[in-house]
Amino acid sequence: MHYRGRFAPSPSGALHFGSLVAAVGSFVRARAEGGAWLVRMEDIDPPREIPGAASDILATLGAFGMRADEPVVYQSLRDTAYDRAFARLRDADLVFPCWCSRVDLEASAGIHRGACRAAPDTTRGPAWRLRAPDVDVSFIDLLQGTQAQNLRRDVGDFVIRRVEGWFAYQLAVVVDDADAAITEVVRGSDLLDSTPRQIHLQQLLGLQTPAYLHLPVVLDADGRKLSKADHARPVDRCEPLAALRMAIDFLGLEVGAGVTPAALLERAIDSFSVARLRGANGAHVGTAECET
Ligand code: GLU
């Protein structure tokens, strides 16, 4: 099958170094495989979005030499597809309405234990949760090795549609990756523990499971993941070379002497192999610091 990869930023702020690493990793991998690289804007969480961030991210990717091979997909325009998947799960009685409050969930360490079943607060709309079965979902990550999670024990019944009516990331990502015929998901290892939920949803919906390759995440000096929510400093699209070199180096690939983003990416593509990625061969994952 022809390789199809993707980068799926959330427009909750400008592109920062951590997301640049995920963008470069997915782009270089797709090109090294002679495949297509797509971009999907994950704009289904309005409270966390910043106006203008989506176009800003796309402009930054362009300045770093990365342009999607197909039109950018916006999750905010894909409710019909999510609704179809949701209806299918509901018709199969795999989901249930949940009125649990934040306090209920905190009392059970964030895992749904059915507190709302005793006294549903029907004065407000429910969230919809997928029943988590008592099964171990396992997969082989191309970089992180074998992963396994028991959905009921480790995650619990999880939200696929939020109280406000928005579809949750776990459902949207599965529908979108399948509709775009993504063959391999390359993203940060902060999403490693979402993957079993996504594989389970793929199985319920009769969708193909892509291959997975989770890259090490960039941590700040205090050992926390850089995230837009914490106002990690955006990369400067007027000066892409230094940050691009640093991202390629962080991934463990060869940083050439190129003086354009395209030339730097070309060298990284030529030098690409999963075995030389940072985090391969059991190296400790996710402890690098970044000065940006
Ligand atoms: N939108 C997610 C993020 O920005 C990435 C989702 C994914 O790659 O599956 O962290």
Side-chain angles (χ1 to χ4, degrees), residues 6 8-10 40 42 169 173 185 187 190-191 225 228:
R6 53 45 158 207
S10 304
R40 178 172 70 236
E42 300 212 318
Y169 160 70
V173 74
V185 171
R187 59 186 177 190
D190 51 315
L191 291 163
K225 182 197 160 213
K228 285 172 276 201

